[in-house]
Amino acid sequence: MLDYKLLEALTAVVECGGFERAGEALGLSQSAVSQRIRSLEVRLGQPVLVRTPALAPTPVGRRLLNHARRVQLLERDLRQALPTLTSEAPRLRIAVNADSLATWWAQAIGPLCRKEGVVLDLVVEDQDVGLRRLRDGDVAACLCASPQPVAGARALPLGHMSYLPLATPAYRERHFPEGLMEEALRRAPAIVFGPHDQLQHRFLASCGYHGPFPYHLCPASEGFVRLALAGMGYGMIPRMQVEEQLARGELVSIAPGQALEVPLYWHSWRHSGKLIERLTDALGAVSLN
């Protein structure tokens, strides 16, 4: 049988990003946490963590993390059925893309979180990367653009988010007076969310341009819009995030009529308990189209 105190230490080290902070979270010394990890590795006969170049779970460690998080959710169901057991607020670690967090996410899951007393640990991640977090055992569920679930998980389609190539009218007049010419696309500064963000590249490819271009990196949805409103560049922005700015003419499309439709899927482990099922039901009621 697995010793769940050892799994608790592994989960804390990975989620906190180190032994010292894991000890603080568990009310233990750093050396006590290290000893629990060593005991787990001795019992398994193989490492569960790699220390360099960065602290991360091994493949075996990822499987244990997946198991530990699913057990936590199932234990919550048991506590609800047996009120005499002590119960803490359930904590869900979920990977969510920043644009969903800035638009529809809170409204969709807020009522359930209030009713269930759920505490969220949100990992803000690009929609093309979140699935990796789930596969690695770092999160219990994620939003991502891939329809293909990992083994043992399920994928629920939520619809699409529509992204428009937006800038201020003055920016469009300055950089694209004759439309989306190749030379203009090569020189006009863009705004890109992060190194994994491919929306800008997909838009340029749809325009027939595949070359380099200058860009600002801004890994924050609200800051992204502010840079565009300041005339610093053009970027792919969710339509639902800037409806008021579009209506007032503060932002305009540099390619009227063009949009990128990005699908979103909710990925969660099967047999993870009733809380995940109710969260999945709540998200299934969302209409993004």
Side-chain angles (χ1 to χ4, degrees), residues 17-263:
F19 288 82
E20 183 176 355
R21 282 180 288 181
E24 294 174 355
L26 296 174
L28 300 171
S29 67
Q30 180 177 344
S31 61
V33 175
S34 297
Q35 181 59 47
R36 290 189 179 186
I37 297 299
R38 282 196 296 272
S39 297
L40 181 59
E41 292 178 330
V42 168
R43 177 167 296 186
L44 296 173
Q46 54 188 305
V48 296
L49 292 170
V50 292
R51 276 70 171 177
T52 58
L55 186 67
T58 64
V60 169
R62 289 195 294 268
R63 293 191 65 179
L64 291 174
L65 284 170
N66 287 335
H67 175 74
R69 292 195 175 103
R70 293 164 77 177
V71 167
Q72 288 171 356
L73 292 170
L74 293 173
E75 284 185 347
R76 179 180 183 274
D77 294 341
L78 184 61
R79 290 189 185 102
Q80 288 187 327
L82 302 173
T84 54
L85 293 177
T86 59
S87 179
E88 298 178 354
R91 188 176 191 86
L92 285 179
R93 185 171 171 85
I94 299 173
V96 183
N97 63 307
D99 291 334
S100 292
L101 193 59
T103 52
W104 62 271
W105 169 261
Q107 185 176 2
I109 54 88
L112 178 68
C113 289
R114 292 193 299 270
K115 179 180 178 181
E116 301 274 354
V118 177
V119 178
L120 296 181
D121 182 0
L122 296 178
V123 179
V124 180
E125 194 64 271
D126 186 80
Q127 61 261 26
D128 292 324
V129 181
L131 192 60
R132 188 186 310 161
R133 293 271 195 174
L134 182 67
R135 184 184 298 111
D136 290 347
D138 186 38
V139 296
C142 74
L143 283 174
C144 78
S146 172
Q148 184 62 42
V150 300
R154 56 185 174 179
L156 174 70
L158 300 181
H160 294 76
M161 290 188 70
S162 181
Y163 286 77
L164 304 177
L166 301 179
T168 62
Y171 177 95
R172 183 176 66 176
E173 181 61 29
R174 182 169 65 254
H175 291 280
F176 301 105
E178 300 178 5
L180 302 184
M181 309 299 289
E182 181 174 340
E183 181 64 18
L185 291 172
R186 186 173 71 85
R187 293 182 177 275
I191 309 170
V192 176
F193 184 82
H196 300 295
D197 181 15
Q198 293 296 308
L199 290 180
Q200 194 72 35
H201 300 79
R202 288 171 54 187
F203 166 69
L204 290 173
S206 72
C207 298
Y209 182 75
H210 300 276
F213 58 94
Y215 58 89
H216 307 280
L217 278 178
C218 181
S221 287
E222 294 82 358
F224 197 103
V225 174
R226 289 185 178 276
L227 292 187
L229 287 169
M232 295 176 62
Y234 73 100
M236 304 304 296
I237 302 176
R239 186 195 303 270
M240 67 172 63
Q241 188 177 0
V242 289
E243 290 179 347
E244 294 182 2
Q245 291 89 338
L246 289 171
R248 293 194 296 262
E250 297 172 353
L251 291 173
V252 295
S253 175
I254 66 169
Q258 291 193 37
L260 287 180
E261 302 296 327
V262 177

Side-chain angles (χ1 to χ4, degrees), residues 6-23:
L6 307 185
L7 291 185
E8 181 184 47
L10 174 63
T11 302
V13 169
V14 173
E15 291 186 351
C16 296
F19 288 82
E20 183 176 355
R21 282 180 288 181

Side-chain angles (χ1 to χ4, degrees), residues 272-287:
S272 291
K274 295 180 180 179
L275 178 58
I276 286 289
E277 290 179 3
R278 287 192 286 271
L279 182 57
T280 299
D281 291 340
L283 292 172
V286 174
S287 178

